[in-house]
């Protein structure tokens, strides 16, 4: 079963192809939908080892010249150093305005290659080829690109929509269980903030793990549909799109303070959602019943034991939603209904996390 959704953004509109073997559609898309004749595939070392050859073989019929750029695996590659390496490689390879970047990998590759494609020659086309669950349900859609700096996660980035997204679900079979769950955290986020029906589907699946029986095409499609709706309404996150940051203010602070890569992004988001639910019960009137149901689903995402840093304030106030140094929390009033709540004290979030994990 395959699905094609569209993200309608006038001249920046594009399609998301989801399902088994959708990569087979790539050569035709490149030949017909893209103007250039040179594609640079950016992949991390693990993904390239697993899928590089298949991708190169698939691309042969497109008639394009294909180059490859590998980056080290992991969150630490979202750095200025890797942006510089990639841009200099593009220059050496003769990448031109009409050339295309193919971001083959998880969210790290998507964010890094997306950013480089928006900067190089003031912007060239990028096609997102997500291989992790997280990238399929979230990061490959919507055009956010970014890298981290020691002062904070994703603080440097651009909006640069892809020309298309091809989420070939056959590749999910090689994903580590931890990375699977990390993607599931973003699915749960979409369900809790925007999609009660998706929430009920997840609630009915006791095991959210890779062999738990959930149908990936079903929930990738649901997540992408919701995200496409939000991006159509608010491409540059001036309002509605901020709800997709549920659990993320705290997650980004944890990732930056613990050191990038110590936790998977989705694991940090799961902890952030636990805290946001505790705070929602106190601040928005989320009912006890909905709180318990929501927490029960978030609890199905395993998170490693970490010692929560004493003070996350400096990272929390640098959150992109902060106004005048005041942190704004994304909370839920009910399952599927998010709202923004300004916090007097960012410490409320850290305290809510301590309550959630019984620290
Ligand atoms: N741009 C956005 O809108 C957005 C949204 C959410 C998250 N993100 C970003 O996404 C990043 C996290 O993404 P991620 O979890 O995909 O991390 P990742 O890219 O590091 O991938 C996780 C791991 O899975 C491996 N992997 C990927 N596909 C595989 C496959 N098919 N088989 C085997 N291994 C595979 C990778 O090599 C890596 O080791 C974070 O940096 C986060 O900030 C961005």
């Amino acid at each position: 079963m395959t699905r094609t959704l569209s993200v309608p953004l006038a001249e920046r509109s594009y399609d998301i192809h989801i399902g088994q073997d959708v990569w087979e559609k790539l050569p035709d898309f490149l030949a017909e939908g893209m103007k250039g004749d040179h594609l640079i595939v950016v992949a991390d070392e693990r993904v390239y080892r697993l899928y590089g050859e298949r991708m190169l073989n698939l691309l042969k019929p497109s008639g394009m010249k294909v180059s490859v750029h590998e980056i080290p695996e992991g969150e630490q590659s979202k750095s200025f150093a890797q942006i510089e390496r990639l841009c200099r490689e593009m220059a050496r390879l003769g990448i031109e305005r009409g050339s295309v970047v193919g971001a083959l990998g998880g969210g790290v590759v998507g964010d890094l290659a997306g950013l480089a494609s928006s900067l190089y020659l003031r912007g060239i086309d990028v096609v997102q080829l997500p291989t992790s669950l997280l990238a399929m349900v979230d990061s490959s859609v919507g055009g956010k690109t970014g890298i981290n700096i020691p002062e904070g996660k994703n603080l440097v980035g651009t909006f640069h929509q892809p020309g298309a997204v091809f989420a070939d679900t056959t590749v999910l079979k090689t994903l580590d269980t931890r990375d699977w769950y990390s993607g599931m955290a973003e699915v749960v986020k979409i369900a809790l903030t925007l999609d009660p029906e998706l929430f009920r589907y997840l609630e009915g699946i006791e095991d959210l793990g890779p062999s738990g029986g959930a149908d990936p095409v079903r929930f990738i499609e649901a997540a992408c549909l919701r995200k496409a709706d939000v991006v159509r309404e608010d491409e540059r996150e001036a309002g509605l799109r901020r709800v997709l940051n549920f659990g993320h203010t705290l997650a980004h602070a944890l990732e930056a303070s613990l050191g990038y890569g110590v936790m998977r992004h989705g694991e940090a988001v799961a902890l952030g959602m636990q805290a946001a639910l505790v705070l929602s019960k106190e601040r928005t009137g989320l009912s006890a019943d909905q709180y318990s149901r929501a927490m029960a689903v978030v609890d199905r995402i395993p998170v490693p034991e970490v010692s929560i840093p004493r003070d996350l304030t400096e990272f929390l106030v640098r959150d992109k939603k902060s106004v005048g140094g005041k942190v704004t929390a994304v909370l839920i009033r009910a399952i599927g209904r998010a709202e923004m709540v300004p916090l007097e004290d960012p410490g409320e979030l850290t305290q809510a996390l301590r309550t959630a994990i019984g620290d």
Side-chain angles (χ1 to χ4, degrees):
M1 185 177 62
T2 64
R3 290 271 188 270
T4 299
L5 315 175
S6 70
V7 185
L9 289 169
E11 73 285 357
R12 292 185 305 290
S13 300
Y14 54 95
D15 287 340
I16 308 168
H17 306 275
I18 305 162
Q20 301 248 327
D21 295 317
V22 292
W23 283 354
E24 314 268 335
K25 299 179 182 194
L26 251 178
D28 282 350
F29 167 78
L30 290 169
E32 288 157 22
M34 297 272 111
K35 42 194 184 306
D37 57 5
H38 191 169
L39 176 82
I40 175 166
V41 174
V42 181
D44 77 23
E45 284 156 359
R46 185 205 293 229
V47 169
Y48 194 72
R49 204 165 49 241
L50 288 165
Y51 297 108
E53 198 181 325
R54 178 177 166 209
M55 184 50 69
L56 296 190
N57 284 333
L58 266 168
L59 289 169
K60 273 186 193 144
S62 73
M64 285 179 117
K65 177 178 174 190
V66 178
S67 306
V68 175
H69 178 84
E70 288 184 58
I71 64 162
E73 184 187 334
E75 187 68 32
Q76 297 201 340
S77 279
K78 278 179 51 172
S79 66
F80 271 116
Q82 291 298 333
I83 285 289
E84 180 178 359
R85 245 190 91 226
L86 176 50
C87 289
R88 293 185 66 182
E89 179 77 348
M90 291 204 265
R92 280 192 291 268
L93 288 167
I95 294 293
E96 299 174 343
R97 280 244 162 96
S99 306
V100 183
V101 174
L104 175 66
V108 165
V109 166
D111 280 7
L112 179 80
L115 179 57
S117 68
S118 74
L119 297 173
Y120 193 70
L121 302 180
R122 301 207 171 84
I124 63 173
D125 287 331
V126 61
V127 175
Q128 291 283 351
L129 308 169
T131 60
S132 70
L133 182 57
L134 186 141
M136 292 186 191
V137 298
D138 196 347
S139 61
S140 63
V141 175
K144 275 196 196 175
T145 79
I147 54 170
N148 309 318
I149 50 178
E151 289 73 12
K153 187 163 152 96
N154 290 343
L155 287 187
V156 178
T158 56
F159 289 97
H160 185 57
Q161 299 295 341
V165 180
F166 291 84
D168 190 331
T169 50
T170 53
V171 306
L172 291 173
K173 62 181 184 296
T174 52
L175 200 63
D176 281 358
T177 302
R178 230 179 130 181
D179 290 309
W180 172 278
Y181 276 117
S182 181
M184 265 300 180
E186 299 283 17
V187 181
V188 171
K189 170 198 78 178
I190 296 256
L192 285 176
T193 50
L194 293 162
D195 195 336
E197 195 188 320
L198 176 60
F199 178 81
R200 282 191 291 275
Y201 174 76
L202 298 175
E203 207 176 18
I205 297 164
E206 215 129 285
D207 176 0
L208 293 181
S211 35
D215 170 10
V217 176
R218 160 82 175 73
F219 61 77
I220 295 168
E221 182 188 15
C224 288
L225 262 175
R226 287 288 164 232
K227 186 147 184 196
D229 280 350
V230 168
V231 170
R232 185 191 55 207
E233 289 277 309
D234 177 22
E235 185 182 359
R236 298 178 76 90
E237 201 170 287
L240 175 68
R241 190 168 176 178
R242 295 187 297 172
V243 306
L244 295 178
N245 286 299
F246 185 64
H248 280 60
T249 304
L250 199 57
H252 288 167
L254 281 171
E255 290 180 83
S257 65
L258 293 169
Y260 298 117
V262 171
M263 295 186 90
R264 299 290 201 274
H265 176 63
E267 293 168 347
V269 170
L271 284 175
M273 289 194 291
Q274 291 186 19
L277 288 175
V278 168
L279 213 50
S280 298
K281 199 166 68 156
E282 291 166 10
R283 300 288 293 268
T284 67
L286 177 69
S287 72
D289 171 57
Q290 293 229 334
Y291 168 82
S292 308
R293 287 172 58 202
M295 198 58 110
V297 172
V298 176
D299 269 343
R300 291 185 205 154
I301 313 278
V303 287
E305 272 200 23
V306 286
S307 60
I308 309 298
R310 250 161 120 53
D311 191 5
L312 292 167
T313 309
E314 70 166 304
F315 293 106
L316 291 171
V317 295
R318 278 192 212 117
D319 182 74
K320 293 186 280 311
K321 296 178 301 306
S322 292
V323 182
K326 284 230 156 69
V327 171
T328 307
V330 184
L331 303 181
I332 59 168
R333 168 175 293 276
I335 290 167
R337 278 184 61 198
E339 70 180 47
M340 312 297 296
V341 177
L343 299 181
E344 276 311 311
D345 173 8
E348 282 186 74
L349 267 177
T350 327
Q351 188 48 48
L353 177 61
R354 292 194 195 290
T355 307
I357 63 174
D359 188 23

